[in-house]
Amino acid sequence: AECCTYARDNAVDIVMSFLIDRGVSSLGHRKNCLDGTLNAMGVSFQEHKTYGNNTVLDLTRVNEVHLVDLRRN
């Protein structure tokens, strides 16, 4: 499952935009965020040339969760 938002740079605003899901008739972002079967998530926050920035949550279901510290070389 995936959630995307643009032009928000505050974590609370980003999460609230997914939960409120204004303008999304399927309420897909809300459903994804509240789906209790999804137990792992990747997050990307990148610059966007038109909207300033873009945030993407990639949610999934895994049997085992392995934490990875990407800061290690």
Side-chain angles (χ1 to χ4, degrees), residues 7-72:
R8 292 181 173 87
D9 58 5
N10 176 292
V12 172
D13 291 342
I14 291 167
V15 172
M16 291 304 293
S17 74
F18 292 140
L19 293 176
I20 294 170
D21 228 2
R22 174 185 253 162
V24 180
S25 61
S26 69
L27 300 177
H29 295 123
R30 181 186 308 179
K31 291 175 184 177
N32 290 342
C33 288
L34 298 177
D35 184 340
T37 67
L38 303 174
N39 62 358
M41 176 175 62
V43 178
S44 175
F45 181 83
Q46 300 290 323
E47 290 184 14
H48 190 282
K49 68 179 182 177
T50 302
Y51 299 106
N53 60 60
N54 168 244
T55 303
V56 178
L57 307 183
D58 189 11
L59 303 113
T60 191
R61 177 180 27 244
V62 295
N63 293 330
E64 293 183 34
V65 176
H66 300 280
L67 300 177
V68 177
D69 186 348
L70 298 176
R71 296 172 294 179
R72 288 189 280 176

